[in-house]
Amino acid sequence: MNVVSLCRSPAAEMAIIALSISLGIIVLGTGWGSKVTAYHSLCKLEKRTADCSRKRLGSVPADLPAATEELFLDANIIQILKNASLVSYQVLQSLSLRENGLELIEPGAFLSSRSLTSLSVANNGLSVNYSVTATAIWTLTALRKLDLSGNQLTEDMVVTMIQHLSSLESLSLARNAIMRLDHSHFQNLLQLQDLDLQQNYIFEIESGTFDGLRVLQQLNLAYNYMPCIVEFDLTQLRVLNVSNNLIEWFLAVEDDIAFELETLDLSHNWLLFFPLLPKQNKLQTLLLMHNQMSFYGDLFNHSESKVQLLFLDGNITNITTFNLWEENNHGNLSSLSFLDMSWNQVRYLPDRFFEGKAFLTHLNISHNCLESLHVQRWEWLNTLTDLDLSYNQLSDLQVNLSSGGTLPNLQWFNLSTNRLHGLPAKLFTHTTKITTVDLSNNPIKICGSHVDVNGAASPDCIDVHNAGSLKNLFLASCDLAMLGNHVFWGTSLAHLDLSNNPNVQLGSLVPLQDVAQSLQVLSLRNTSLSAAKTTMDFSIFQKLVNLDLSENALVSFPESLIGLRLHTLDLRKNGLHTLPQHAMQKQLGRSLHVIYLSQNPYDCCRLGWWDALHSLGTIHIADWKQVTCNYSSKFISAANLPESVLQDCKWLTADMMWVYLVLFLPTCFALLVAFVIVFLTFRQRILQMVKSRYKRSSSHGLWGAGKTQVTEPKEWVLAEWES
Ligand SMILES: *[C@@H]1O[C@H](CO)[C@@H](O)[C@H](O)[C@H]1NC(C)=O
Ligand SMILES: *[C@@H]1O[C@H](CO)[C@@H](O)[C@H](O)[C@H]1NC(C)=O
Ligand SMILES: *[C@@H]1O[C@H](CO)[C@@H](O)[C@H](O)[C@H]1NC(C)=O
Ligand SMILES: *[C@@H]1O[C@H](CO)[C@@H](O)[C@H](O)[C@H]1NC(C)=O
Ligand SMILES: *[C@@H]1O[C@H](CO)[C@@H](O)[C@H](O)[C@H]1NC(C)=O
Ligand SMILES: *[C@@H]1O[C@H](CO)[C@@H](O)[C@H](O)[C@H]1NC(C)=O
Ligand SMILES: *[C@@H]1O[C@H](CO)[C@@H](O)[C@H](O)[C@H]1NC(C)=O
């Protein structure tokens, strides 16, 4: 017996293993294996979370683990959340019922869910039975986070629903039908920190509306219809987002109270003036892009620069006079680090505009109407790292380098699309951290290599000599004339864009030699390159990974590219008839990932390279659908070359053989006939000549006896042929 029990039969062993596996599954299924993902028939269970989203459920499943703390039921079809739905989930903390077409929550639905802290019922139809639903929501005494967005709720419905939720910390009412707000709407939300009201129809917020929200930190009013914000007094607020409204005025209360405001988004509004910010604030980010802002001080004398504002509040009219363009009205912006004023109407910056902005790192004034920029004291901008002045009408940029301001931290300077002819001399000697300069679309000149060492370069050109930190230089569409041979000397540019400068005349690339060792990205698009005129040698550009040679007049593939480690090569819009088939068998073929080839007059009958490129399989022809070839002056897609063309190409090559043959044969025949006639006419003489020659030549080497033996049969043969 012992023996038998020790040596179980294999079948019994299998049964025991199977039993233990099924036991394991049971343990996992009921006991929340804390690491392993378990599976319910419909829902995904993980830790204490059950995800039953997108299962076309009409009600809450009743067979989930009782210990479920987080339940997702999004995108189902639960129209009514019934009284007993959640009764088995007593420890539920978070419930999400987004996008269900939910119209009613029965009053007792949450009675068993005392610990629910987070409820999302976004994108449903709760406006239908809002008063009944409200009684259900009131029972959630521990609720901290409520998302009611996208439910077509009006402000009155909202009040009914939220009025007793004093524990709420975060409330989203986005995408509803709220139009105006007053102090009755958010009375009891003493804990509320985050209120989202974006995408409603709010055109009026009475003063005092947010007074009860003592700890409110973030308020989002984006995408509403607010015409102005006056007497802004929410001192406790840290983030205010009123972007995408119709705001013409932003006025904070004129007071010396300290505001906590750190981020103010006023972008995409109709602001006419720089906002009148709280005098004492902690603003770090101020977003004013896409408005109508300008400064008007230059149009008025100081006495006239006051504006009177009429506040109509019920039947009280209050007239306040502001001096709009006095810099001290711009508030104390000593903590500001990010200021975006792009897409406005700014024509000039007031003299002391930058005063006190001691922490400014990012400044964007692009897409404005600046004509000149004379910053008196650039030392205010010593912390600046990014400066964007692109898309203005700047023809004059003055930096007073002697006063100590040198933009020592500037890294990124965008001046593209202005009217600059040059930059202040020696600018780059001071900006020692600068890496990127965009001067595209300016009528600039690059100073020649002969610039005076004392910095006497004229402001009519740009001197990048010795700008050692400069890595990325954009000079596209600058109408550059011929470059000196050493204009980039002393720099180690990695990215250079010279595109759209058809008069730049790079010839054999000599002006680029000083940066050939460091360049990684080079754009020579539309620079009138033609391989015919010069022999372009790219072989010294060993670090190059991205090269754009498009829109030039190349008729042959530059052979020197074959040894480079390019990743991307652009050859569009040139005059290439074919590509050398061996090109891709060398280094270039191994490193290349992307190539652009379209708009070249390739010969349809010489597309061997095209097939070779495809068969390589490692190179992505980014524009392969657009690649066409020339077949008797018709351009057809190289990717879908019709069979008939392929046949014709074969015929064409075969035909050529016949043509050669037909041309060659008569010529040979004529030559032969001519030869025979000549021979016949001068037969005697020629024979004699041959004979005498033979005699003479053979007399040296051959014995006399051989003479007759050799010549006689020859004469006989000729005679025979004659007759
Ligand atoms: C749901 O529960 C509430 C409160 O317990 C009760 O008043 C209501 O009648 C119930 N509704 C239904 C449909 O059972
Ligand atoms: C303000 O809200 C809009 C809309 O939601 C958003 O795109 C933008 O990023 C917000 N601004 C800030 C500073 O968060
Ligand atoms: C500003 O004041 C001066 C003298 O007080 C006057 O000559 C000038 O015309 C005024 N300019 C404007 C724009 O009113
Ligand atoms: C507004 O006017 C009415 C009568 O015209 C008056 O009774 C009421 O007190 C006024 N309200 C204020 C705030 O002055
Ligand atoms: C008018 O506005 C000023 C400043 O905003 C305020 O000090 C003053 O009390 C207001 N007067 C009335 C009648 O509301
Ligand atoms: C400079 O700004 C323009 C538009 O404002 C943008 O298109 C361009 O990419 C910027 N240049 C760099 C180097 O980022
Ligand atoms: C296309 O090929 C024809 C000869 O087949 C040639 O005459 C013509 O110049 C070519 N067109 C272009 C744009 O190269």
Side-chain angles (χ1 to χ4, degrees):
M1 286 299 283
N2 261 344
V3 175
V4 174
S5 71
L6 273 174
C7 311
R8 283 186 296 237
S9 72
E13 186 137 16
M14 288 301 288
I16 285 165
I17 290 170
L19 185 67
S20 63
I21 286 175
S22 66
L23 272 175
I25 288 171
I26 290 162
V27 166
L28 287 183
T30 55
W32 290 105
S34 60
K35 282 176 206 148
V36 200
T37 305
Y39 290 91
H40 175 260
S41 59
L42 275 173
C43 309
K44 195 175 165 205
L45 310 178
E46 195 164 350
K47 294 194 181 164
R48 285 164 193 267
T49 300
D51 187 353
C52 314
S53 301
R54 290 178 189 77
K55 296 286 186 282
R56 299 200 57 79
L57 293 172
S59 59
V60 181
D63 56 347
L64 294 168
T68 303
E69 287 176 359
E70 207 175 4
L71 176 54
F72 291 96
L73 287 161
D74 301 336
N76 285 297
I77 45 171
I78 304 173
Q79 270 183 301
I80 300 176
L81 190 67
K82 296 236 165 77
N83 264 353
S85 305
L86 301 168
V87 77
S88 32
Y89 313 119
Q90 305 268 340
V91 292
L92 199 63
Q93 289 175 12
S94 170
L95 173 64
S96 183
L97 280 161
R98 306 168 71 92
E99 289 169 50
N100 269 283
L102 187 66
E103 291 182 348
L104 173 66
I105 302 179
E106 287 184 359
F110 297 125
L111 284 177
S112 56
S113 312
R114 296 282 171 196
S115 52
L116 202 67
T117 55
S118 170
L119 173 65
S120 174
V121 282
N123 299 342
N124 284 296
L126 289 180
S127 58
V128 180
N129 286 305
Y130 75 94
S131 53
V132 184
T133 301
T135 47
I137 290 179
W138 294 347
T139 61
L140 292 169
T141 47
L143 201 63
R144 293 211 297 267
K145 192 165 186 235
L146 175 60
D147 188 349
L148 286 169
S149 59
N151 275 290
Q152 291 296 316
L153 300 170
T154 64
E155 56 267 30
D156 297 332
M157 300 176 183
V158 167
V159 180
T160 317
M161 286 181 144
I162 61 171
Q163 59 186 342
H164 300 296
L165 299 178
S166 56
S167 58
L168 219 52
E169 289 170 7
S170 168
L171 173 63
S172 176
L173 295 168
R175 291 177 286 108
N176 278 297
I178 301 167
M179 290 206 239
R180 55 177 301 286
L181 293 172
D182 60 44
H183 68 281
S184 67
H185 290 111
F186 302 109
Q187 265 174 345
N188 293 311
L189 307 180
L190 297 171
Q191 309 289 326
L192 200 67
Q193 292 171 17
D194 189 355
L195 177 57
D196 190 350
L197 286 163
Q198 62 178 307
Q199 297 185 56
N200 277 282
Y201 305 93
I202 302 170
F203 64 90
E204 189 181 21
I205 299 178
E206 266 185 29
S207 65
T209 299
F210 303 113
D211 277 359
L213 309 179
R214 308 247 169 75
V215 291
L216 190 67
Q217 294 190 353
Q218 305 201 35
L219 177 58
N220 194 339
L221 285 163
Y223 293 98
N224 277 290
Y225 295 90
M226 298 284 294
C228 61
I229 291 184
V230 291
E231 315 243 287
F232 170 72
D233 61 356
L234 300 177
T235 50
Q236 77 282 22
L237 212 59
R238 282 175 39 216
V239 180
L240 175 61
N241 190 338
V242 273
S243 65
N244 295 282
N245 277 268
L246 310 171
I247 292 172
E248 289 181 10
W249 297 91
F250 181 93
L251 309 176
V253 286
E254 278 207 278
D255 218 324
D256 280 329
I257 340 160
F259 281 70
E260 296 296 315
L261 200 62
E262 288 170 6
T263 303
L264 175 57
D265 188 345
L266 278 164
S267 62
H268 296 269
N269 276 292
W270 293 18
L271 283 178
L272 294 165
F273 304 95
F274 198 88
L276 293 164
L277 301 164
K279 282 198 181 116
Q280 285 197 55
N281 60 66
K282 296 178 178 168
L283 265 183
Q284 290 165 14
T285 303
L286 179 54
L287 305 177
L288 300 170
M289 58 276 197
H290 290 275
N291 277 287
Q292 316 275 324
M293 262 171 20
S294 184
F295 295 97
Y296 307 89
D298 64 337
L299 298 178
F300 301 95
N301 282 337
H302 262 285
S303 55
E304 295 168 81
S305 67
K306 293 196 168 64
V307 72
Q308 293 192 320
L309 298 175
L310 230 69
F311 297 126
L312 300 170
D313 189 2
N315 45 10
I316 308 167
T317 307
N318 194 349
I319 299 176
T320 315
T321 308
F322 280 101
N323 195 340
L324 277 171
W325 11 96
E326 242 168 42
E327 280 76 17
N328 57 9
N329 270 336
H330 299 144
N332 167 15
L333 294 173
S334 58
S335 17
L336 196 65
S337 73
F338 194 106
L339 175 57
D340 192 338
M341 293 169 53
S342 61
W343 298 92
N344 274 286
Q345 313 275 331
V346 176
R347 288 170 294 114
Y348 78 101
L349 293 177
D351 282 349
R352 292 157 67 200
F353 181 74
F354 294 112
E355 194 168 309
K357 298 193 172 62
F359 288 103
L360 201 61
T361 57
H362 291 74
L363 176 60
N364 189 347
I365 320 182
S366 72
H367 295 90
N368 275 282
C369 318
L370 292 172
E371 287 174 4
S372 63
L373 188 60
H374 297 200
V375 180
Q376 299 298 325
R377 300 171 68 192
W378 285 86
E379 67 261 35
W380 289 116
L381 297 175
N382 274 357
T383 48
L384 206 61
T385 59
D386 288 35
L387 176 55
D388 192 344
L389 296 171
S390 63
Y391 285 87
N392 277 284
Q393 283 151 34
L394 283 174
S395 54
D396 189 12
L397 180 70
Q398 288 186 14
V399 181
N400 191 354
L401 292 168
S402 58
S403 76
T406 56
L407 299 168
N409 285 301
L410 193 65
Q411 293 169 15
W412 187 88
F413 196 7
N414 195 338
L415 284 161
S416 96
T417 319
N418 276 289
R419 296 176 182 166
L420 290 167
H421 292 275
L423 284 179
K426 294 182 82 175
L427 176 69
F428 294 122
T429 332
H430 294 276
T431 53
T432 50
K433 289 191 182 158
I434 199 143
T435 60
T436 304
V437 176
D438 192 341
L439 284 159
S440 303
N441 270 307
N442 281 285
I444 55 155
K445 281 199 200 72
I446 306 275
C447 307
S449 46
H450 48 271
V451 180
D452 190 340
V453 198
N454 301 321
S458 75
D460 290 341
C461 65
I462 283 159
D463 179 14
V464 291
H465 270 98
N466 290 319
S469 59
L470 198 60
K471 292 280 178 278
N472 313 302
L473 181 59
F474 298 85
L475 296 168
S477 306
C478 285
D479 200 14
L480 291 177
M482 199 167 156
L483 293 181
N485 278 354
H486 294 288
V487 289
F488 300 118
W489 193 80
T491 69
S492 46
L493 291 179
H495 187 155
L496 177 61
D497 186 353
L498 289 171
S499 58
N500 283 324
N501 284 292
N503 299 318
V504 70
Q505 295 179 27
L506 289 169
S508 47
L509 306 176
V510 174
L512 303 181
Q513 265 173 7
D514 291 325
V515 284
Q517 305 296 323
S518 58
L519 272 184
Q520 294 167 21
V521 181
L522 175 61
S523 177
L524 298 175
R525 176 165 51 86
N526 188 16
T527 47
S528 302
L529 289 181
S530 71
K533 267 188 250 158
T534 50
T535 49
M536 275 182 304
D537 187 4
F538 285 99
S539 52
I540 47 169
F541 293 80
Q542 280 300 324
K543 288 213 176 118
L544 214 54
V545 289
N546 187 333
L547 177 61
D548 185 353
L549 294 174
S550 62
E551 296 179 38
N552 282 296
L554 300 178
V555 289
S556 63
F557 183 83
E559 284 286 326
S560 55
L561 295 181
I562 290 172
L564 297 187
R565 289 179 171 77
L566 293 183
H567 286 193
T568 307
L569 176 60
D570 194 339
L571 293 169
R572 278 175 289 187
K573 260 196 170 175
N574 274 289
L576 299 171
H577 294 282
T578 179
L579 252 56
Q581 217 159 318
H582 66 275
M584 299 301 160
Q585 278 142 24
K586 301 278 166 54
Q587 178 53 53
L588 183 63
R590 286 195 287 275
S591 57
L592 204 60
H593 286 115
V594 182
I595 193 166
Y596 295 85
L597 291 166
S598 60
Q599 301 185 66
N600 278 290
Y602 303 113
D603 186 341
C604 285
C605 292
R606 288 159 68 203
L607 283 179
W609 60 269
W610 172 258
D611 299 328
L613 207 58
H614 276 286
S615 62
L616 218 56
T618 54
I619 301 174
H620 174 55
I621 305 172
D623 55 348
W624 68 276
K625 275 190 190 157
Q626 282 92 51
V627 179
T628 53
C629 63
N630 176 8
Y631 176 68
S632 53
S633 294
K634 278 191 306 227
F635 283 87
I636 44 188
S637 165
N640 301 310
L641 218 53
E643 195 58 32
S644 59
V645 172
L646 289 174
Q647 288 298 332
D648 285 358
C649 283
K650 272 185 204 147
W651 269 108
L652 212 64
T653 24
D655 275 350
M656 289 317 280
M657 296 270 283
W658 283 110
V659 170
Y660 290 139
L661 226 68
V662 167
L663 284 174
F664 194 63
L665 264 182
T667 320
C668 289
F669 190 69
L671 278 173
L672 204 68
V673 170
F675 175 74
V676 170
I677 292 170
V678 167
F679 182 77
L680 288 180
T681 328
F682 302 103
R683 176 179 45 167
Q684 280 315 112
R685 241 186 275 167
I686 288 172
L687 277 175
Q688 272 164 13
M689 234 164 71
V690 170
K691 262 187 199 165
S692 63
R693 234 181 202 203
Y694 208 86
K695 266 182 211 159
R696 240 183 289 136
S697 63
S698 54
S699 61
H700 297 290
L702 286 169
W703 288 301
K707 267 184 257 172
T708 45
Q709 272 175 358
V710 178
T711 48
E712 261 168 17
K714 212 180 200 177
E715 208 169 346
W716 177 80
V717 168
L718 280 173
E720 185 85 324
W721 192 72
E722 260 166 54
S723 57

